[in-house]
Amino acid sequence: MDLNQLYTELILEHSQNSENKGHLDHANCTERGRNPSCGDDITLELVCRGDIIEDASFTGSGCAISQASTSIMIDLIKGKSKEEAGELVNTFLSMIKKELNDYDKLEMLEDAVAFQNIGNMPARVKCATLAWHTLREAITKNQ
């Protein structure tokens, strides 16, 4: 199995994963993100205690890429500080823009490296980055 096929399977698996999808009754930070060009629409819910993101979830709908990217991002940010989450956002967006391809630096993204080549499909970039921009906005508003 080649790497692209593995990444495709990973994206499909996460797009169908409902573990990170659902409403958090105790969320104290909520941010909505929309991509009107394709209809992706998510609401990111975070439980923050001080500087730590203790829990996260999302509701909404969208294509497999947006749903998978959101699920993978949530796996990465749980238990992280807002600063660490912001660093993950910056690294992910730099990877998508092809500004960063150093695998040692990309390691922090874990499964999110599956989106490394999404920049080759400009119409899908907004789908993959929606959750990450939404997280950045949520962190900025909840400082």
Side-chain angles (χ1 to χ4, degrees), residues 11-12 14 27 29-30 48 53 58-59 64 70 86 91 100 111 119 127 135:
I11 290 169
L12 287 174
H14 271 278
C29 179
T30 303
C48 298
I53 301 170
F58 77 104
T59 56
T70 306
T91 302
L100 176 65
D111 287 351
C127 303
L135 175 60

Side-chain angles (χ1 to χ4, degrees), residues 32 40 50 54 59 67 71 102 110:
R32 184 174 181 197
D40 297 333
E54 287 186 350
T59 56
Q67 300 292 286
S71 178
D102 179 346
E110 298 177 16

